[in-house]
Amino acid sequence: MADYKAPLRDMRFVLNEVFEVSKLWAELPALAELVDEDTANAILEEAGKVTAGSIAPLNRSGDEEGCSWDNGAVKTPAGFPEAYRTYAEGGWVGVGGSPEFGGMGMPKVIGAQVEEMVNSASLSFGLYPMLTSGACLSILNHASEELKAQYLPNMYAGVWAGSMCLTEPHAGTDLGIIRTKAEPQADGSYKISGTKIFITGGEHDLTENIIHLVLAKLPDAPAGPKGISLFIVPKVMVNADGSLGEKNALGCGSIEHKMGIKASATCVMNFDGATGYLVGEVNKGLNAMFTMMNYERLGVGIQGLSLGERSYQSAIEYARERIQSRAPTGPVAKDKAADPIIVHPDVRRMLLTMKALNEGGRAFSSYVAMQLDTAKYSEDKATAKRADELVALLTPVAKAFLTDMALETTVHGQQIFGGHGFIREWGQEQLVRDCRITQIYEGTNGIQSLDLVGRKIVGSGGSYYKHFADEIKAFVAAADANLDEFTQPLAAAVQNLDELTAWVLDRSQSNPNEIGAASVEYLQAFGYTAYAYMWALMARAALGKETQDEFYASKLGTARFYFARLLPRIHSLSASVKAGSESLYLLDAAQF
Ligand SMILES: Cc1cc2nc3c(=O)[nH]c(=O)nc-3n(C[C@H](O)[C@H](O)[C@H](O)COP(=O)(O)OP(=O)(O)OC[C@H]3O[C@@H](n4cnc5c(N)ncnc54)[C@H](O)[C@@H]3O)c2cc1C
């Protein structure tokens, strides 16, 4: 596998040239004093060094060694504790954290690039800080001032880690039926009892404490999702002065043996009357979780992008070096026995698909991150509301589309290696294995599609969609004629998505099955259209500079490939959407 190199040039292009993000920061008072283009560039450069230098070399050994469990203690692979310390001491765990509690306070659009780098270096490693910053976000937004002061500084500093304990053996997608109990105590705390499964970073040897955020139900809670509360449950009790006290009544019963992300500890967690503290209001636990989920779901989409990027870096190097057969148009490397495989149309198709989907994904996830920043920091209520609704609309697309595309890209990256792609030492097969979980956890991609179509499209009567479609139409209308080759197919793609959206809105009124029947293909058609917008924006930023620097020529060539070869996929997806639910219900359960 090629050494990982952070794609800083492309990140700077997206941030500074495509979105001119420093203009947005200057308009948001909370960010204006914290960050500008130079600070951002310096942060990205440092993150590139630490992820490539300290973490990427552990990716394969971490996969080979995996985590181990011994009598409740979990050991991460060799090198992980030291690398985690280096990462934490650099302040990277708290990169997006509130400065009031010691975080760096960077906007999400910077955090998104750092997440991409750490997950490209090692997805297993990246999950530990990601779960910690997710837990911090819920605490920051919903916990009492006292709990924030007690927990956040050590979590941002990476001295303590976090975990999110939602899933139970019988309850994954349907959290309304969880059984973990929370019994109120006289001192205001709660006794938490129950079993959680699949808990990422539930136990490990990276930090001196782990702060679990646990969903549980009070004895008199209403049935279903409206009866769920959220609790902080520390592994080791924290004294009033911040020092560590006794071990809490909880433990790790075992760890899972998995297809991928083997260096990430996936734990069964037993809570045996453990002491917990309520976060937010009783029975409003799912709301508190949703704050965190938009960030985490974008983060999982970025995990997919990270793996696609790492796979591409190895594939392109291999395709330039591996010689096999002659180019169809005649020998290219005449001094060699055969030509490098990059001459072959099918290899170019795979490489360009990877490049177009990775770079489209980087632009799209950065765009969504900018909406998150606008929603959080804009002082203009209408602007913040619009951004918030865009985030709601685009988050399930980012989670599901980026990870679905990542499976395609990592499989192409493996395929380009031929038989060697199947062999462990080359590293490409690990990326495919690691990628698979990104489509499953944090709400499966099927559930993301239902969220998009059911809650965000139908639930808003199409109004959230209109924000996005109107923005693209305004861009097309204002674009120069020299962008026509990009804006015309983009305009047609948006018109197609308008029609699909109207179709879904209409059909959902008469048959409840239509939403679920349309949702996956609708989300994908949406994703390809959103990437077309990103590619048109990137083409605008590159056009006219292609003779100065081959970076821009490469951008324009990839944009042309995207419009010619990938965007047309919307036609078959749209036909599937419009086929409706009927053919899904022709068989009864016994006929399968
Ligand atoms: C490695 C790993 C790490 C994880 N980390 C964490 C963690 O840190 N914390 C945590 O709490 N959980 C974690 N999870 C759990 C993960 O989020 C769940 O596995 C996931 O949400 C799916 O739940 P489930 O496995 O119970 O599947 P189920 O909910 O049983 O779903 C089974 C299938 O049915 C489909 N389905 C279910 N309901 C519907 C519906 N209404 N409409 C259409 N299709 C439906 C699903 O899409 C899926 O394909 C992790 C899981 C793994 C494997």
Side-chain angles (χ1 to χ4, degrees):
M1 163 162 279
D3 288 343
Y4 172 63
K5 258 182 84 189
L8 295 175
R9 177 73 178 90
D10 200 51
M11 288 175 173
R12 283 197 301 267
F13 171 72
V14 169
L15 264 48
N16 304 333
E17 296 175 67
V18 179
F19 294 125
E20 298 182 295
V21 70
S22 53
K23 286 188 185 160
L24 171 69
W25 297 334
E27 285 167 13
L28 303 173
L31 293 178
E33 284 173 20
L34 270 182
V35 61
D36 57 20
E37 193 174 314
D38 289 344
T39 329
N41 289 343
I43 290 176
L44 296 188
E45 198 146 318
E46 273 312 302
K49 279 187 205 150
V50 71
T51 51
S54 307
I55 300 167
L58 302 175
N59 195 37
R60 184 151 173 262
S61 57
D63 180 60
E64 294 288 341
E65 186 183 338
C67 291
S68 57
W69 180 93
D70 183 18
N71 200 20
V74 174
K75 204 167 154 291
T76 57
F80 268 55
E82 295 76 14
Y84 196 82
R85 211 168 307 127
T86 305
Y87 193 72
E89 283 168 6
W92 300 108
V93 180
V95 70
S98 162
E100 195 187 340
F101 299 101
M104 240 193 255
M106 284 300 116
K108 182 66 191 173
V109 72
I110 302 276
Q113 318 306 316
V114 176
E115 279 173 36
E116 186 196 317
M117 292 185 239
V118 68
N119 290 320
S120 282
S122 162
L123 175 53
S124 286
F125 182 96
L127 279 161
Y128 296 104
M130 177 175 173
L131 267 292
T132 304
S133 50
C136 287
L137 204 66
S138 290
I139 295 174
L140 181 71
N141 284 292
H142 300 282
S144 66
E145 289 306 315
E146 193 188 339
L147 289 173
K148 285 187 213 175
Q150 205 172 3
Y151 289 95
L152 287 177
N154 277 327
M155 293 177 79
Y156 285 147
V159 179
W160 299 345
S163 90
M164 308 294 303
C165 303
L166 289 67
T167 307
E168 298 182 9
H170 68 292
T173 301
D174 188 358
L175 292 171
I177 58 174
I178 60 166
R179 293 187 192 132
T180 297
K181 278 202 203 79
E183 288 165 295
Q185 304 298 298
D187 66 355
S189 68
Y190 292 79
K191 289 279 175 229
I192 311 290
S193 307
T195 298
K196 297 285 181 180
I197 63 163
F198 296 160
I199 304 308
T200 301
E203 177 57 39
H204 53 71
D205 56 359
L206 303 178
T207 55
E208 61 185 28
N209 203 359
I210 301 173
I211 312 306
H212 305 287
L213 282 189
V214 182
L215 288 183
K217 288 190 160 188
L218 267 64
D220 57 352
K226 293 199 168 126
I228 298 176
S229 305
L230 180 66
F231 300 88
I232 286 181
V233 187
K235 171 180 160 182
V236 185
M237 300 300 293
V238 179
N239 297 320
D241 65 358
S243 62
L244 292 182
E246 292 187 350
K247 207 183 159 311
N248 205 352
L250 62 93
C252 172
S254 60
I255 58 172
E256 306 293 348
H257 302 283
K258 315 189 290 289
M259 174 182 182
I261 55 164
K262 289 172 189 259
S264 165
T266 307
C267 305
V268 173
M269 297 302 298
N270 299 316
F271 296 88
D272 305 311
T275 301
Y277 306 98
L278 183 69
V279 175
E281 288 175 49
V282 163
N283 297 335
K284 296 271 171 65
L286 273 191
N287 292 2
M289 276 280 161
F290 278 134
T291 312
M292 178 276 296
M293 277 180 182
N294 279 340
Y295 279 80
E296 294 283 283
R297 288 186 170 161
L298 176 61
V300 175
I302 291 169
Q303 291 176 1
L305 162 64
S306 305
L307 298 170
E309 170 65 30
R310 184 109 195 233
S311 182
Y312 177 75
Q313 290 191 12
S314 295
I316 183 67
E317 195 175 295
Y318 192 78
R320 286 190 183 120
E321 282 169 11
R322 173 77 174 171
I323 57 165
Q324 215 58 205
S325 317
R326 287 295 181 192
T329 47
V332 174
K334 293 192 177 121
D335 55 330
K336 298 204 171 119
D339 286 332
I341 58 172
I342 198 168
V343 301
H344 303 303
D346 185 49
V347 173
R348 299 180 76 86
R349 176 188 65 83
M350 291 190 279
L351 285 168
L352 276 160
T353 300
M354 295 177 81
K355 183 167 156 56
L357 293 176
N358 288 343
E359 292 173 16
R362 183 170 297 119
F364 184 59
S365 53
S366 299
Y367 174 87
V368 179
M370 284 173 66
Q371 304 305 328
L372 273 163
D373 289 331
T374 308
K376 184 170 169 186
Y377 294 112
S378 178
E379 293 184 348
D380 177 63
K381 282 204 174 121
T383 307
K385 180 168 178 285
R386 178 183 176 278
D388 200 44
E389 292 176 354
L390 273 175
V391 166
L393 177 78
L394 300 177
T395 299
V397 182
K399 195 278 178 180
F401 193 65
L402 265 80
T403 57
D404 282 350
M405 294 306 101
L407 189 69
E408 178 173 348
T409 54
T410 52
V411 167
H412 284 323
Q414 181 183 35
Q415 193 78 8
I416 287 166
F417 276 67
H420 300 281
F422 200 67
I423 306 300
R424 288 171 86 119
E425 68 182 88
W426 291 92
Q428 296 297 76
E429 61 85 41
Q430 182 194 342
L431 298 172
V432 177
R433 285 187 288 106
D434 283 356
C435 181
R436 200 58 190 84
I437 187 60
T438 64
Q439 299 176 297
I440 297 173
Y441 59 19
E442 200 62 37
T444 63
N445 285 1
I447 296 300
Q448 301 302 323
S449 314
L450 271 185
D451 179 45
L452 172 69
V453 179
R455 293 183 43 201
K456 310 299 170 51
I457 300 286
V458 177
S460 77
S463 67
Y464 294 4
Y465 169 77
K466 199 166 174 310
H467 294 318
F468 192 55
D470 285 353
E471 179 177 318
I472 300 176
K473 286 171 198 168
F475 162 75
V476 169
D480 289 345
N482 62 357
L483 275 177
D484 276 0
E485 62 172 308
F486 307 107
T487 51
Q488 284 182 5
L490 172 62
V494 177
Q495 194 187 334
N496 174 70
L497 198 59
D498 280 352
E499 284 165 22
L500 271 193
T501 306
W503 190 94
V504 168
L505 280 166
D506 178 49
R507 284 299 188 98
S508 66
Q509 306 302 316
S510 54
N511 179 354
N513 274 334
E514 293 294 346
I515 292 179
S519 58
V520 167
E521 282 99 348
Y522 176 90
L523 184 145
Q524 296 216 342
F526 194 121
Y528 284 114
T529 307
Y531 278 27
Y533 179 35
M534 296 300 118
W535 272 111
L537 288 169
M538 289 193 277
R540 181 179 66 177
L543 208 64
K545 301 183 197 158
E546 62 274 27
T547 50
Q548 300 159 22
D549 182 340
E550 64 179 20
F551 174 87
Y552 299 107
S554 164
K555 266 295 163 204
L556 284 172
T558 312
R560 289 181 178 121
F561 171 84
Y562 182 82
F563 280 94
R565 300 282 305 223
L566 298 183
L567 184 60
R569 291 180 183 184
I570 59 173
H571 300 303
S572 71
L573 291 165
S574 304
S576 295
V577 169
K578 289 184 180 168
S581 66
E582 204 183 301
S583 62
L584 295 176
Y585 285 88
L586 296 177
L587 313 189
D588 65 30
Q591 288 175 320
F592 276 88

